Amino acid sequence: MWGMIATWRMAVEGITKGSELLKEGGDAGDAIETAIREVEDFPYYKSVGYGGLPNEEMEVELDAAYMDGNTLDIGAVAAIKDFANPVSIARSLSHEKVNCMLVAEGAEKFAHKQGFERKNMLTDRAKAHYRKRVKEIKQQELKPYSGHDTVGMACLDVSGKMTAATSTSGLFMKKKGRVGDSPITGSGFYADSKRGAASATGLGEDLMKGCISYEIVRLMGEGMHPQEACETAVNRLDAELRERRGEAGDLSLIAMNTKGEWGVATNIDGFSIAVVTETLEPTVYLVNREADGRCTYEKASDEWMENYMKTRMAPIEE
Ligand code: SD4
């Protein structure tokens, strides 16, 4: 069995590309890197890679990570600027024994030495989003941090190897140097070929409070189906946060186990996922939260898919 699951609709072209490799018996590391690069390169996805939304100072600082579930190797970069594909830099760091998580200038120096492609990641479109948001914050007292779509994936190849990876520009209007859950092991991602892999999107500050990707892998290791593991971990963390702090940020998780079974859970409306397996063609699902805390999903309609692209590519009215 092989398969891939990813956060958000935007990942479907990526997992389609990744699945071409998996189908041919390819490696879960190559498949997940290929899939995430596809999302990073598409300029209209405004929270990953090229076209990602900037921080408060109008700079695009990117976070990314990669984990190999066979060796438990981890590589991550945080607050890196001006490089095209942070996930590939993260994967390259995962081969290092030490210094495998680098931030800002340190990460950029490593990437430069390794010959990774430099690119100005701030697009005119992202600048327009920035100016619009500055105006909205002033006029409508909007929360600056709303709107996010990190790409996080879990992958299984025919050899049984599992990987997890993430890539994000983090929260729009974040403080310079702010790092979310996405490059943090166990919070934004975790992979263990003996148990499964998981990844997160949402409010990093809250996802980190539960080390939630690790928690889901742990629950799968105890025999839970990925769906039950995702629901259990998300509902528990959501409840703990509400009890102790009076509120919980957005928590949305995906997972796959060693058999290619998968699961998803969220505490928000409007979450979507992209999935492909040996027996399922690349499919986008919209996730619904039920009153009893369970999450169900339905295939996105053609109309929904069309509308999604239209809104992503619509001109920005400033
Ligand atoms: C972060 N978790 O930096 C990321 C943001 C995100 O969907 O997921 N957006 O906190």
Side-chain angles (χ1 to χ4, degrees), residues 7-8 10 47-48 63 147-151 167-172 174 178-183 188 200-208 250 252 271:
T7 57
W8 305 107
M10 64 180 168
S47 42
V48 178
D63 300 337
H148 49 71
D149 289 13
T150 291
V151 66
S167 186
T168 188
S169 53
L171 297 184
F172 188 15
K174 64 188 179 183
R178 180 260 183 195
V179 176
D181 60 298
S182 305
T201 175
L203 183 66
E205 284 74 359
D206 278 0
L207 290 159
M208 287 193 270
D250 295 0
S252 301
F271 185 45

Side-chain angles (χ1 to χ4, degrees), residues 90-244:
R91 187 178 181 201
S92 167
L93 280 166
S94 76
H95 305 312
E96 306 281 318
K97 238 194 189 138
V98 289
N99 303 306
C100 52
M101 178 170 183
L102 296 176
V103 306
E105 291 95 328
E108 288 151 22
K109 206 168 178 179
F110 172 84
H112 177 68
K113 273 197 188 147
Q114 297 289 314
F116 283 100
E117 182 193 347
R118 271 192 190 273
K119 187 167 174 178
N120 175 10
M121 303 298 271
L122 182 64
T123 59
D124 288 342
R125 193 173 170 85
K127 283 185 201 160
H129 277 296
Y130 178 90
R131 287 191 297 267
K132 184 168 178 230
R133 184 59 65 99
V134 170
K135 228 192 263 168
E136 287 168 348
I137 292 166
K138 276 197 203 127
Q139 288 168 354
Q140 305 165 26
E141 290 173 25
L142 256 194
K143 272 201 291 181
Y145 303 122
S146 59
H148 49 71
D149 289 13
T150 291
V151 66
M153 296 188 188
C155 181
L156 166 71
D157 71 22
V158 283
S159 77
K161 175 175 170 178
M162 298 203 76
T163 53
T166 58
S167 186
T168 188
S169 53
L171 297 184
F172 188 15
M173 291 284 180
K174 64 188 179 183
K175 294 275 178 225
K176 183 178 174 65
R178 180 260 183 195
V179 176
D181 60 298
S182 305
I184 305 297
T185 315
S187 289
F189 66 96
Y190 199 81
D192 177 346
S193 305
K194 293 185 180 173
R195 298 186 283 178
S199 186
T201 175
L203 183 66
E205 284 74 359
D206 278 0
L207 290 159
M208 287 193 270
K209 293 183 175 79
C211 298
I212 191 159
S213 291
Y214 180 77
E215 177 62 6
I216 289 172
V217 172
R218 192 187 70 77
L219 292 170
M220 290 192 290
E222 291 191 344
M224 268 191 200
H225 185 280
Q227 184 58 33
E228 193 188 354
C230 286
E231 284 169 359
T232 302
V234 167
N235 290 338
R236 271 187 200 157
L237 181 57
D238 182 74
E240 287 294 335
L241 293 172
R242 284 180 204 281
E243 182 197 317
R244 295 172 195 224

